[in-house]
Amino acid sequence: MKYFNTAGPVNCKDHYCLPPLSRFNLSEILGLISQKKYFVLHAPRQSGKTSCLLALENYLNASGLYKSLYINVEAAQVARNNVEKGIYAIINEIQRRIELSGYDDDSQRIVKDLCDPHLSLSALNSALTRLAEFSPLPLVLLIDEIDALVGDTLISVLRQIRSGYDSRPDHFPSTVILCGVRDVRDYRIHSDTEQMIITGGSAFNVKAESLRLGNFSEEEVRTLCLEHTKETGQIFTTNALSTIWNLTSGQPWLVNALAYETCFKLELGKNRENPITDIMVEQAKENLIIRRETHLDQLADKLKEERVRRVIEPILTGDLYEGMLRADDIEYVEDLGLITQAPNGEISISNRIYQEIIPRQLSWESQSGMALKQAWFVDDDGRLNILKLIREFQQFFREHSESWIERFQYKEAGPQILLQAFLQRIVNGGGRIDREYGLGRTRTDLYLRWPLPDGTVQRIIIELKILHKSREKTIEDGMKQVMKYIDRCGADEAHIIVFDRRPEVSWDEKIFCEKRELEECRERNGVPVVIWGM
């Protein structure tokens, strides 16, 4: 039986898949190849890059117009700045791929004598020259994981490729495609040899284009899931398909992981008589997050990088710190797949799963260290006593916020992270928290859903605001914003938490709680808003 793939390249014989060559503009790539161009194909981790390159290699070789060779240079990463060791690893990879690709015996020997750990530093250039001269057709070289290389090894590889550019196609590959997470322009490489930073663009300045492999479209998500229906007869409800799209925004690994978890891991999903529902998809999402699957763990590791923090932290707080956002940081974090940038420049976290995993990861240690029990805040009728919970947090924040926030790398977002850790500790295994952020909107919105014994759901909105203006103006803005959210979600309760971070203001003045009701509240649904100061 086929299944949804979450590890390694897609094999359409074994996996549900979209045709890899449909993932990018094939005619554009063939046009660049026909013009003997060197170019970059990049996309975030586990987006299908390798699957597409392998499919392209097969397509070009089957066309009879080119000889194509795929190589993966990740093994050379361990060489770091040891150029000889790195080039040796790459030439061994070339030799291995030649043998796997069905070349004749003479072709297999063409670079064998270069597989020597004491080879010349220009041996890669020599190997590629030999391959091109031996090939009766123009040679197209596909280099995967190029940005796994480090320091002087990466600089040497880029420069050796560049130095052969003017000899193509008779004495060097007609086309070279570099594939990795980032565009070569974003490389900032420290050269031990030259004691300086070399930009990748300058080391490979023969690049003609930079193409990006995108996410699945909503229709492609539907098509992929329907492959399972064709194979097993098990249907995805319309709501389930919409939920997969809404949670992932088409990120290929997330789509496959959610579908696999739902159809092959959940007990309900393994029974092919049961349709796949949105509730099952939501449960699968929670399972992936709790298990901290490798893809999500790698994402969390990137949050530790300073240039990532400079972009993500203002999104979490809703504030735009003067001078914090840099164009190259935004491009880098977008290439990692953590954010998207709209044509108008607006930046947002890429999808709802990342929106949830980022603050949960940042608050993981805090959440683990809190001595809280869910039962303390659940009433006899099964309702979550949110008033008691926030009041408890208010006291906790007064007593411990300074010491706890000092531990955070994301200190500006510390109050929001700490509150979300507190809530997540209570909600885990019961309800759900959806998060919305808006860069420059000065707020973070939390939507908490808590299932009740009678099958209904308790819906609670919590809006977090950092006090920048006067207290009254901050509350006034928050009331207008929260009313729109109440209408959209049909919430039963609404709360605004105002964090006053001014050191000169006493805790007695910061701490308050009051209930307000706007006129439109009474006219619409009578939901009051509780204002909390901290």
Side-chain angles (χ1 to χ4, degrees):
M1 181 183 292
K2 290 184 178 182
Y3 58 93
F4 295 98
N5 181 46
T6 59
V10 166
N11 178 346
C12 291
K13 293 180 180 178
D14 297 328
H15 308 136
Y16 302 131
C17 72
L18 302 171
L21 293 179
S22 71
R23 296 286 316 284
F24 47 50
N25 188 332
L26 181 60
S27 62
E28 179 181 21
I29 287 179
L30 294 178
L32 290 169
I33 292 172
S34 71
Q35 295 168 15
K36 309 179 189 67
K37 296 289 181 67
Y38 287 14
F39 59 96
V40 174
L41 177 67
H42 68 103
R45 293 278 177 214
Q46 296 178 297
S47 295
K49 300 184 297 296
T50 300
S51 300
C52 291
L53 286 184
L54 291 172
L56 181 61
E57 178 191 36
N58 292 334
Y59 180 89
L60 293 173
N61 285 330
S63 73
L65 300 174
Y66 303 98
K67 189 65 180 176
S68 181
L69 181 68
Y70 166 91
I71 63 171
N72 185 316
V73 298
E74 189 172 16
Q77 184 184 50
V78 295
R80 305 193 72 79
N81 283 301
N82 186 328
V83 177
E84 286 187 359
K85 188 176 179 181
I87 298 301
Y88 168 61
I90 292 172
I91 292 179
N92 270 289
E93 165 69 358
I94 291 173
Q95 179 67 31
R96 186 178 77 87
R97 290 288 175 176
I98 287 173
E99 293 171 357
L100 289 175
S101 298
Y103 280 64
D104 58 44
D105 292 343
D106 289 337
S107 300
Q108 290 185 27
R109 289 192 290 270
I110 197 71
V111 298
K112 199 153 194 173
D113 63 311
L114 293 173
C115 295
D116 184 330
H118 304 293
L119 42 71
S120 160
L121 294 182
S122 62
L124 177 61
N125 183 286
S126 299
L128 297 182
T129 297
R130 289 187 187 183
L131 286 174
E133 290 176 344
F134 193 84
S135 175
L137 298 171
L139 177 64
V140 178
L141 181 66
L142 314 175
I143 305 180
D144 200 4
E145 301 288 353
I146 184 66
D147 53 353
L149 303 181
V150 177
D152 288 313
T153 299
L154 177 55
I155 295 169
S156 177
V157 169
L158 294 176
R159 285 178 172 168
Q160 288 188 65
I161 295 172
R162 181 183 67 181
S163 68
Y165 182 77
D166 62 343
S167 303
R168 75 198 200 290
D170 295 331
H171 305 288
F172 211 70
S174 174
T175 292
V176 174
I177 303 176
L178 299 183
C179 187
V181 171
R182 293 173 289 154
D183 187 353
V184 69
R185 70 165 186 264
D186 293 330
Y187 299 171
R188 300 290 183 270
I189 314 162
H190 183 267
S191 169
D192 282 356
T193 303
E194 302 180 35
Q195 293 299 304
M196 63 184 296
I197 298 294
I198 308 293
T199 62
S202 65
F204 188 69
N205 59 11
V206 293
K207 178 194 75 170
E209 297 279 351
S210 179
L211 308 180
R212 182 181 172 94
L213 186 65
N215 287 341
F216 295 156
S217 68
E218 187 169 6
E219 185 56 38
E220 286 174 328
V221 170
R222 184 182 304 275
T223 299
L224 182 68
C225 292
L226 290 180
E227 289 294 303
H228 176 73
T229 301
K230 292 176 186 175
E231 180 93 0
T232 67
Q234 186 176 39
I235 66 168
F236 286 78
T237 66
T238 301
N239 284 345
L241 292 171
S242 296
T243 300
I244 293 174
W245 168 253
N246 290 332
L247 288 173
T248 66
S249 297
Q251 203 287 331
W253 185 89
L254 291 178
V255 172
N256 277 282
L258 269 184
Y260 182 82
E261 181 73 20
T262 307
C263 298
F264 292 88
K265 300 285 282 185
L266 294 185
E267 289 303 320
L268 277 174
K270 286 193 287 188
N271 184 341
R272 301 301 179 219
E273 299 296 319
N274 295 326
I276 302 299
T277 67
D278 55 332
I279 295 173
M280 293 161 66
V281 172
E282 291 279 3
Q283 182 58 55
K285 178 263 295 182
E286 191 66 20
N287 292 353
L288 294 177
I289 292 175
I290 290 172
R291 285 206 307 269
R292 301 177 75 178
E293 293 284 349
T294 302
H295 174 90
L296 300 178
D297 212 32
Q298 289 174 342
L299 175 151
D301 187 61
K302 290 296 180 184
L303 296 174
K304 300 174 184 177
E305 296 183 18
E306 180 59 22
R307 62 193 306 198
V308 173
R309 184 198 64 80
R310 288 198 295 262
V311 175
I312 296 296
E313 187 167 34
I315 297 176
L316 296 180
T317 63
D319 288 338
L320 184 58
Y321 308 134
E322 185 177 354
M324 177 169 281
L325 293 182
R326 307 174 186 177
D328 59 340
D329 287 346
I330 293 172
E331 289 171 356
Y332 174 67
V333 180
E334 186 173 20
D335 281 349
L336 292 177
L338 289 171
I339 62 169
T340 57
Q341 186 169 28
N344 66 359
E346 182 179 0
I347 300 168
S348 57
I349 294 175
S350 295
N351 55 66
R352 278 182 53 199
I353 290 181
Y354 289 179
Q355 285 177 12
E356 182 161 346
I357 196 67
I358 287 173
R360 286 176 71 163
Q361 178 62 34
L362 293 173
S363 64
W364 183 260
E365 292 179 1
S366 302
Q367 185 187 144
S368 302
M370 290 177 175
L372 299 168
K373 294 187 182 297
Q374 188 182 91
W376 298 349
F377 304 101
V378 179
D379 292 337
D380 292 341
D381 61 359
R383 295 182 69 83
L384 187 65
N385 191 327
I386 195 69
L387 289 170
K388 182 178 179 182
L389 195 157
I390 298 178
R391 192 175 295 113
E392 183 77 14
F393 175 77
Q394 193 178 45
Q395 184 61 32
F396 173 88
F397 191 79
R398 178 173 186 164
E399 295 175 7
H400 305 292
S401 61
E402 290 181 8
S403 61
W404 282 70
I405 290 173
E406 188 57 34
R407 307 174 193 175
F408 296 155
Q409 181 186 3
Y410 288 55
K411 290 182 174 56
E412 292 295 334
Q416 292 93 330
I417 293 172
L418 198 55
L419 174 64
Q420 291 182 65
F422 201 91
L423 288 174
Q424 198 70 56
R425 179 63 186 262
I426 302 305
V427 170
N428 268 355
R432 285 174 41 204
I433 303 174
D434 292 333
R435 298 158 171 89
E436 286 196 9
Y437 314 100
L439 187 60
R441 299 176 190 168
T442 68
R443 73 181 195 272
T444 302
D445 297 322
L446 307 178
Y447 176 33
L448 195 158
R449 282 175 279 182
W450 182 261
L452 298 173
D454 62 2
T456 59
V457 176
Q458 182 182 358
R459 293 178 170 84
I460 304 164
I461 289 169
I462 304 174
E463 184 169 296
L464 315 182
K465 294 185 71 67
I466 301 290
L467 189 145
H468 291 297
K469 309 170 186 176
S470 69
R471 176 188 292 182
E472 192 55 39
K473 180 60 177 172
T474 301
I475 293 173
E476 181 183 329
D477 290 345
M479 290 290 285
K480 292 176 182 176
Q481 292 159 353
V482 85
M483 280 307 304
K484 295 176 183 177
Y485 213 0
I486 290 172
D487 278 350
R488 196 172 80 193
C489 302
D492 312 301
E493 304 175 52
H495 301 263
I496 298 173
I497 298 177
V498 179
F499 293 104
D500 187 341
R501 306 207 63 189
R502 295 174 295 173
E504 70 275 12
V505 178
S506 70
W507 279 107
D508 285 341
E509 187 177 346
K510 291 177 183 178
I511 297 291
F512 67 89
C513 177
E514 61 182 74
K515 186 180 292 187
R516 296 197 183 186
E517 191 171 2
L518 292 177
E519 184 63 33
E520 52 263 45
C521 277
R522 290 190 290 271
E523 292 174 357
R524 294 176 187 176
N525 53 20
V527 177
V529 180
V530 182
I531 317 294
W532 303 82
M534 302 187 193

